[in-house]
Amino acid sequence: MRMLVSYSLEENFTVTSFDNGLDALTFLQEGNIPDVMVLDLNTPKLDGHQLLMQLKSSGFFNAIPVIILSGEESTQVRIKCLEAGAEDYMLKPFNPRELEVRINAILKRSGKIFNE
């Protein structure tokens, strides 16, 4: 799934992907601040929800917009993620074009892009 997301977004975005949440957190702690993060809830070492909680409790990383991409259909899980600070939540399977549109909407709201 990670490779599909990366491949579908690489045409229009610079993409850095990790196979676990701990590596993603280390990447951030090394001073790399992405415009948007797409997190899967089911990742090893540090799952997407744990990473989201760490990001949103940090004074340094809490402004990074996060989209959760998950196969978890539970309304309770979606609400938990959105209440924790996720900007958006998409269910798998997903349309890569829809993910791209949602990322662009976040970038527009944050002032990072002004037109498409």
Coordinates of all heavy atoms in Angstrom, one line a residue, residues 25-98:
L25 N 9.1 9.2 12.6 CA 9.3 10.1 13.7 C 10.8 10.5 13.7 O 11.1 11.7 13.9 CB 8.9 9.5 15.0 CG 9.0 10.3 16.2 CD1 8.2 11.6 16.1 CD2 8.7 9.5 17.5
T26 N 11.7 9.6 13.5 CA 13.1 9.9 13.4 C 13.4 10.9 12.3 O 14.2 11.8 12.5 CB 13.9 8.6 13.2 OG1 13.7 7.7 14.3 CG2 15.4 8.9 13.1
F27 N 12.8 10.7 11.2 CA 12.9 11.6 10.0 C 12.5 13.0 10.4 O 13.2 14.0 10.2 CB 12.1 11.1 8.9 CG 12.0 12.0 7.7 CD1 13.0 12.1 6.8 CD2 10.9 12.8 7.4 CE1 13.0 12.9 5.6 CE2 10.8 13.6 6.3 CZ 11.9 13.6 5.4
L28 N 11.4 13.2 11.2 CA 11.0 14.5 11.6 C 12.0 15.1 12.6 O 12.3 16.3 12.6 CB 9.6 14.4 12.3 CG 8.5 14.0 11.3 CD1 7.2 13.7 12.1 CD2 8.2 15.0 10.3
Q29 N 12.4 14.2 13.6 CA 13.3 14.7 14.6 C 14.7 15.1 14.0 O 15.4 15.9 14.7 CB 13.5 13.6 15.7 CG 12.3 13.4 16.5 CD 12.3 12.2 17.4 OE1 13.1 11.2 17.1 NE2 11.5 12.2 18.4
E30 N 15.0 14.7 12.8 CA 16.2 15.1 12.2 C 16.1 16.5 11.5 O 17.0 17.0 10.8 CB 16.7 14.1 11.1 CG 17.1 12.8 11.8 CD 17.4 11.6 10.8 OE1 16.9 11.8 9.6 OE2 18.0 10.6 11.2
G31 N 14.9 17.1 11.6 CA 14.7 18.4 11.1 C 13.9 18.5 9.8 O 13.8 19.6 9.2
N32 N 13.4 17.4 9.3 CA 12.6 17.3 8.1 C 11.1 17.6 8.4 O 10.5 16.8 9.2 CB 12.7 16.0 7.4 CG 14.2 15.7 7.1 OD1 14.8 16.3 6.3 ND2 14.8 14.7 7.9
I33 N 10.6 18.7 7.9 CA 9.2 19.0 8.2 C 8.4 19.0 6.9 O 8.5 19.9 6.1 CB 9.1 20.4 8.9 CG1 10.0 20.5 10.1 CG2 7.6 20.7 9.2 CD1 9.7 19.5 11.2
P34 N 7.5 18.0 6.7 CA 6.7 17.9 5.5 C 5.6 18.8 5.5 O 5.1 19.3 6.6 CB 6.3 16.4 5.5 CG 6.2 16.0 6.9 CD 7.3 16.8 7.6
D35 N 5.0 19.1 4.3 CA 3.8 20.0 4.3 C 2.6 19.2 4.7 O 1.7 19.8 5.2 CB 3.6 20.5 2.8 CG 4.8 21.4 2.4 OD1 5.3 22.2 3.3 OD2 5.1 21.5 1.2
V36 N 2.6 17.9 4.5 CA 1.4 17.1 4.8 C 2.0 15.7 5.1 O 3.0 15.2 4.4 CB 0.4 16.9 3.7 CG1 -0.7 16.0 4.0 CG2 -0.2 18.3 3.3
M37 N 1.4 15.0 6.0 CA 1.7 13.6 6.3 C 0.5 12.7 6.0 O -0.6 13.1 6.4 CB 2.2 13.4 7.7 CG 3.6 14.0 8.0 SD 4.2 13.7 9.6 CE 4.7 11.9 9.4
V38 N 0.7 11.6 5.4 CA -0.3 10.6 5.2 C 0.1 9.4 6.0 O 1.2 8.8 5.8 CB -0.5 10.1 3.7 CG1 -1.5 9.1 3.6 CG2 -0.8 11.4 2.9
L39 N -0.7 9.0 7.0 CA -0.4 7.9 8.0 C -1.3 6.8 7.8 O -2.5 7.0 7.7 CB -0.4 8.4 9.4 CG 0.4 9.7 9.8 CD1 0.2 10.0 11.3 CD2 1.9 9.4 9.5
D40 N -0.8 5.6 7.8 CA -1.6 4.4 7.9 C -1.7 4.0 9.4 O -0.7 4.1 10.1 CB -0.9 3.3 7.1 CG -1.8 2.1 6.9 OD1 -2.6 1.7 7.8 OD2 -1.8 1.5 5.8
L41 N -2.8 3.6 9.8 CA -3.0 3.2 11.2 C -2.2 1.9 11.6 O -1.8 1.7 12.7 CB -4.4 3.0 11.6 CG -5.3 4.3 11.6 CD1 -6.7 4.0 12.1 CD2 -4.6 5.4 12.5
N42 N -2.1 1.0 10.6 CA -1.4 -0.3 10.8 C 0.0 -0.3 10.3 O 0.3 -0.8 9.3 CB -2.2 -1.4 10.1 CG -3.5 -1.7 10.8 OD1 -3.6 -1.5 12.0 ND2 -4.5 -2.0 10.0
T43 N 0.9 0.3 11.1 CA 2.3 0.3 10.8 C 3.1 -0.3 12.0 O 2.7 -0.1 13.2 CB 2.9 1.7 10.5 OG1 2.6 2.6 11.5 CG2 2.3 2.2 9.2
P44 N 4.2 -1.0 11.8 CA 4.9 -1.6 12.9 C 5.7 -0.5 13.7 O 5.9 0.6 13.2 CB 5.8 -2.6 12.2 CG 6.0 -2.1 10.8 CD 4.7 -1.4 10.5
K45 N 6.2 -1.0 14.8 CA 7.0 -0.2 15.7 C 6.3 1.0 16.4 O 6.4 1.2 17.6 CB 8.3 0.3 15.0 CG 9.2 -0.9 14.6 CD 10.5 -0.4 14.1 CE 11.3 -1.6 13.6 NZ 12.6 -1.2 13.0
L46 N 5.6 1.8 15.6 CA 4.9 2.9 16.1 C 3.7 3.1 15.1 O 3.9 3.5 14.0 CB 5.8 4.2 16.2 CG 5.1 5.5 16.7 CD1 4.9 5.3 18.2 CD2 6.1 6.7 16.5
D47 N 2.5 2.7 15.6 CA 1.4 2.8 14.6 C 1.0 4.2 14.3 O 1.4 5.1 15.0 CB 0.2 1.9 15.1 CG -0.5 2.4 16.3 OD1 -0.7 3.6 16.4 OD2 -1.0 1.6 17.1
G48 N 0.1 4.3 13.3 CA -0.3 5.7 12.8 C -1.0 6.5 13.9 O -0.7 7.7 14.0
H49 N -1.8 5.8 14.7 CA -2.5 6.6 15.8 C -1.5 7.1 16.8 O -1.5 8.2 17.3 CB -3.6 5.8 16.4 CG -4.4 6.6 17.4 ND1 -4.2 6.6 18.7 CD2 -5.4 7.5 17.1 CE1 -5.0 7.5 19.3 NE2 -5.8 8.0 18.3
Q50 N -0.5 6.2 17.2 CA 0.5 6.7 18.2 C 1.4 7.8 17.6 O 1.7 8.7 18.3 CB 1.4 5.5 18.5 CG 0.7 4.4 19.3 CD 1.5 3.1 19.4 OE1 2.3 2.7 18.5 NE2 1.4 2.4 20.5
L51 N 1.7 7.7 16.3 CA 2.5 8.8 15.7 C 1.7 10.1 15.7 O 2.2 11.1 16.0 CB 2.9 8.4 14.3 CG 3.8 9.4 13.5 CD1 5.0 9.8 14.3 CD2 4.2 8.8 12.2
L52 N 0.4 10.0 15.3 CA -0.5 11.1 15.3 C -0.5 11.8 16.7 O -0.4 13.0 16.8 CB -1.9 10.7 14.9 CG -2.9 11.8 15.0 CD1 -2.7 13.0 14.0 CD2 -4.3 11.2 14.7
M53 N -0.6 11.0 17.7 CA -0.7 11.5 19.1 C 0.6 12.2 19.5 O 0.6 13.3 20.1 CB -1.0 10.4 20.1 CG -2.3 9.7 19.9 SD -3.7 10.9 20.1 CE -3.6 11.2 21.9
Q54 N 1.8 11.7 19.1 CA 3.1 12.3 19.3 C 3.2 13.6 18.6 O 3.7 14.6 19.1 CB 4.2 11.3 19.0 CG 4.3 10.2 20.0 CD 5.7 9.6 20.0 OE1 6.7 10.2 19.7 NE2 5.7 8.4 20.5
L55 N 2.8 13.6 17.3 CA 2.8 14.8 16.5 C 2.0 15.9 17.1 O 2.5 17.1 17.3 CB 2.4 14.6 15.1 CG 3.2 13.6 14.2 CD1 2.5 13.4 12.9 CD2 4.6 14.2 14.0
K56 N 0.8 15.6 17.5 CA -0.2 16.7 17.9 C 0.1 17.1 19.4 O -0.3 18.2 19.8 CB -1.6 16.2 17.8 CG -2.0 15.9 16.3 CD -1.7 17.2 15.4 CE -1.9 16.9 14.0 NZ -1.7 18.1 13.1
S57 N 0.9 16.3 20.1 CA 1.3 16.7 21.5 C 2.6 17.5 21.5 O 3.0 18.0 22.5 CB 1.3 15.5 22.4 OG 2.4 14.7 22.0
S58 N 3.2 17.6 20.3 CA 4.5 18.3 20.2 C 4.3 19.7 19.8 O 3.6 20.0 18.9 CB 5.4 17.6 19.1 OG 6.4 18.4 18.8
G59 N 5.0 20.6 20.5 CA 4.9 22.0 20.1 C 5.6 22.3 18.7 O 5.3 23.2 18.1
F60 N 6.5 21.4 18.3 CA 7.2 21.6 17.1 C 6.5 20.9 15.9 O 6.6 21.5 14.8 CB 8.6 21.0 17.2 CG 9.6 21.5 16.2 CD1 10.0 22.8 16.2 CD2 10.1 20.6 15.3 CE1 10.9 23.2 15.2 CE2 11.0 21.0 14.3 CZ 11.4 22.3 14.3
F61 N 5.9 19.8 16.0 CA 5.3 19.1 14.9 C 3.8 19.2 14.8 O 3.2 18.7 13.9 CB 5.6 17.6 15.0 CG 7.1 17.3 15.0 CD1 7.6 16.5 16.0 CD2 8.0 17.8 14.1 CE1 9.0 16.3 16.1 CE2 9.3 17.6 14.1 CZ 9.8 16.8 15.1
N62 N 3.1 19.8 15.8 CA 1.7 19.8 15.8 C 1.0 20.5 14.7 O -0.2 20.3 14.4 CB 1.1 20.3 17.2 CG 1.5 21.7 17.4 OD1 2.2 22.4 16.7 ND2 0.9 22.3 18.5
A63 N 1.7 21.4 14.0 CA 1.1 22.1 12.9 C 1.1 21.3 11.5 O 0.5 21.8 10.6 CB 1.7 23.4 12.7
I64 N 1.8 20.2 11.5 CA 1.8 19.4 10.3 C 0.5 18.7 10.1 O 0.0 18.0 10.9 CB 2.9 18.3 10.4 CG1 4.3 18.8 10.6 CG2 2.9 17.4 9.1 CD1 5.3 17.8 10.9
P65 N -0.2 19.0 8.9 CA -1.5 18.4 8.6 C -1.3 16.9 8.4 O -0.4 16.5 7.7 CB -2.0 19.1 7.4 CG -1.1 20.3 7.2 CD 0.2 20.0 7.9
V66 N -2.2 16.1 8.9 CA -2.2 14.7 8.8 C -3.4 14.1 8.2 O -4.6 14.5 8.6 CB -2.0 14.0 10.2 CG1 -2.0 12.5 10.1 CG2 -0.6 14.5 10.8
I67 N -3.3 13.3 7.2 CA -4.4 12.5 6.6 C -4.2 11.1 7.0 O -3.1 10.5 6.9 CB -4.4 12.6 5.1 CG1 -4.6 14.0 4.6 CG2 -5.5 11.6 4.5 CD1 -4.5 14.2 3.1
I68 N -5.2 10.5 7.6 CA -5.1 9.1 8.0 C -5.7 8.3 6.8 O -6.8 8.6 6.3 CB -6.0 8.8 9.3 CG1 -5.4 9.6 10.5 CG2 -6.0 7.3 9.6 CD1 -4.1 9.2 10.9
L69 N -5.0 7.2 6.4 CA -5.4 6.3 5.4 C -5.5 4.9 6.0 O -4.4 4.4 6.4 CB -4.3 6.4 4.3 CG -4.6 5.6 3.0 CD1 -5.9 6.1 2.3 CD2 -3.5 5.7 2.0
S70 N -6.7 4.4 6.1 CA -6.8 3.1 6.9 C -8.0 2.3 6.3 O -8.9 2.8 5.8 CB -7.1 3.5 8.3 OG -7.3 2.3 9.1
G71 N -7.9 1.0 6.6 CA -8.9 0.1 6.3 C -9.9 0.0 7.4 O -10.9 -0.7 7.3
E72 N -9.7 0.7 8.5 CA -10.5 0.6 9.7 C -11.8 1.5 9.4 O -11.7 2.7 9.4 CB -9.8 1.1 10.9 CG -10.6 1.1 12.2 CD -11.1 -0.3 12.5 OE1 -10.3 -1.2 12.7 OE2 -12.4 -0.4 12.7
E73 N -12.9 0.8 9.3 CA -14.2 1.5 9.0 C -14.9 2.0 10.2 O -15.9 2.7 10.1 CB -15.1 0.6 8.2 CG -14.5 0.3 6.8 CD -15.5 -0.6 6.0 OE1 -16.7 -0.4 6.1 OE2 -15.0 -1.4 5.2
S74 N -14.5 1.6 11.4 CA -15.2 2.0 12.6 C -15.4 3.5 12.8 O -14.4 4.2 12.7 CB -14.5 1.4 13.8 OG -14.9 2.0 15.0
T75 N -16.6 3.9 13.0 CA -16.8 5.4 13.2 C -16.0 5.8 14.5 O -15.5 6.9 14.5 CB -18.3 5.6 13.4 OG1 -19.0 5.2 12.2 CG2 -18.6 7.1 13.7
Q76 N -16.0 5.0 15.5 CA -15.2 5.4 16.7 C -13.8 5.6 16.4 O -13.2 6.6 17.0 CB -15.4 4.3 17.8 CG -16.8 4.2 18.3 CD -16.9 3.0 19.3 OE1 -16.3 2.0 19.1 NE2 -17.7 3.2 20.3
V77 N -13.1 4.8 15.6 CA -11.7 5.0 15.3 C -11.6 6.3 14.5 O -10.6 7.1 14.7 CB -11.2 3.8 14.5 CG1 -9.8 4.1 13.9 CG2 -11.2 2.6 15.4
R78 N -12.4 6.5 13.5 CA -12.4 7.8 12.7 C -12.5 9.0 13.6 O -11.7 9.9 13.5 CB -13.4 7.8 11.6 CG -13.1 6.8 10.5 CD -14.1 6.9 9.4 NE -15.3 6.2 9.8 CZ -16.3 6.1 9.1 NH1 -16.4 6.6 7.9 NH2 -17.4 5.4 9.5
I79 N -13.5 9.0 14.5 CA -13.7 10.1 15.4 C -12.5 10.3 16.3 O -12.0 11.4 16.5 CB -15.0 9.9 16.2 CG1 -16.2 10.0 15.3 CG2 -15.0 10.9 17.4 CD1 -17.5 9.6 16.0
K80 N -11.9 9.2 16.8 CA -10.7 9.2 17.7 C -9.6 9.9 17.0 O -8.9 10.8 17.5 CB -10.3 7.8 18.1 CG -9.2 7.7 19.0 CD -8.9 6.2 19.4 CE -7.7 6.0 20.2 NZ -7.5 4.6 20.5
C81 N -9.4 9.6 15.7 CA -8.3 10.2 14.9 C -8.5 11.7 14.6 O -7.6 12.5 14.8 CB -8.0 9.4 13.6 SG -7.4 7.8 13.8
L82 N -9.7 12.0 14.3 CA -10.1 13.4 14.0 C -10.0 14.2 15.2 O -9.5 15.4 15.2 CB -11.4 13.5 13.3 CG -11.5 12.8 11.9 CD1 -13.0 12.7 11.4 CD2 -10.7 13.6 10.9
E83 N -10.5 13.7 16.3 CA -10.4 14.4 17.6 C -8.9 14.6 18.1 O -8.6 15.6 18.7 CB -11.2 13.7 18.7 CG -12.7 13.9 18.6 CD -13.5 13.2 19.7 OE1 -13.0 12.3 20.3 OE2 -14.6 13.7 19.9
A84 N -8.1 13.6 17.7 CA -6.7 13.7 18.0 C -5.9 14.7 17.2 O -4.8 15.1 17.5 CB -6.0 12.4 17.9
G85 N -6.6 15.2 16.1 CA -5.9 16.3 15.3 C -5.7 16.0 13.9 O -5.2 16.8 13.1
A86 N -6.1 14.8 13.4 CA -6.0 14.5 12.0 C -6.9 15.4 11.2 O -8.0 15.8 11.6 CB -6.4 13.0 11.7
E87 N -6.3 15.9 10.1 CA -7.0 16.8 9.2 C -8.1 16.1 8.4 O -9.2 16.7 8.1 CB -6.0 17.4 8.3 CG -6.6 18.5 7.4 CD -6.6 19.9 8.1 OE1 -6.0 20.1 9.1 OE2 -7.3 20.7 7.5
D88 N -7.9 14.8 8.1 CA -8.8 14.1 7.2 C -8.6 12.6 7.5 O -7.6 12.2 8.1 CB -8.5 14.4 5.8 CG -9.7 14.2 4.8 OD1 -10.7 13.5 5.3 OD2 -9.6 14.7 3.7
Y89 N -9.5 11.8 7.1 CA -9.5 10.3 7.2 C -10.1 9.7 6.0 O -11.2 10.0 5.6 CB -10.3 9.9 8.4 CG -10.2 8.5 8.9 CD1 -9.5 8.2 10.1 CD2 -10.8 7.4 8.2 CE1 -9.4 6.9 10.5 CE2 -10.6 6.1 8.6 CZ -9.9 5.9 9.8 OH -9.8 4.6 10.2
M90 N -9.3 8.9 5.3 CA -9.8 8.2 4.1 C -9.7 6.7 4.4 O -8.8 6.1 4.9 CB -8.9 8.5 2.9 CG -9.0 9.9 2.4 SD -8.0 10.2 0.9 CE -8.8 9.0 -0.2
L91 N -10.7 6.0 3.8 CA -10.8 4.5 3.9 C -10.1 3.9 2.8 O -10.2 4.3 1.6 CB -12.3 4.1 4.0 CG -13.0 4.3 5.3 CD1 -14.5 4.0 5.1 CD2 -12.4 3.6 6.4
K92 N -9.5 2.7 3.0 CA -8.9 1.9 2.0 C -10.0 0.9 1.6 O -10.7 0.4 2.5 CB -7.7 1.2 2.5 CG -6.5 2.0 2.7 CD -5.2 1.2 3.0 CE -5.1 0.8 4.4 NZ -3.9 0.2 4.8
P93 N -10.1 0.5 0.4 CA -9.4 0.9 -0.7 C -9.8 2.4 -1.1 O -10.9 2.8 -0.7 CB -9.8 0.0 -1.8 CG -11.1 -0.5 -1.5 CD -11.1 -0.5 0.0
F94 N -8.9 3.1 -1.7 CA -9.1 4.5 -2.0 C -8.7 4.8 -3.4 O -8.0 4.0 -4.1 CB -8.3 5.4 -1.1 CG -6.8 5.2 -1.3 CD1 -6.1 6.2 -2.1 CD2 -6.1 4.2 -0.8 CE1 -4.8 6.1 -2.4 CE2 -4.7 4.0 -1.1 CZ -4.1 5.0 -1.9
N95 N -9.2 5.9 -3.9 CA -8.9 6.4 -5.2 C -7.7 7.3 -5.1 O -7.8 8.3 -4.4 CB -10.1 7.1 -5.8 CG -9.8 7.7 -7.2 OD1 -8.8 8.2 -7.5 ND2 -10.8 7.6 -8.1
P96 N -6.5 7.0 -5.7 CA -5.4 7.9 -5.6 C -5.6 9.3 -6.0 O -5.1 10.2 -5.4 CB -4.3 7.2 -6.5 CG -4.8 5.8 -6.6 CD -6.3 5.8 -6.5
R97 N -6.5 9.5 -6.9 CA -6.8 10.9 -7.4 C -7.5 11.7 -6.2 O -7.3 12.8 -6.0 CB -7.6 10.9 -8.6 CG -8.0 12.2 -9.1 CD -6.9 13.0 -9.7 NE -7.4 14.3 -10.1 CZ -6.9 15.5 -9.7 NH1 -5.9 15.6 -8.9 NH2 -7.4 16.6 -10.2
E98 N -8.4 11.0 -5.5 CA -9.1 11.6 -4.4 C -8.1 12.0 -3.3 O -8.2 13.1 -2.7 CB -10.1 10.7 -3.8 CG -10.9 11.3 -2.6 CD -11.9 10.4 -2.0 OE1 -12.1 9.2 -2.5 OE2 -12.5 10.8 -1.0

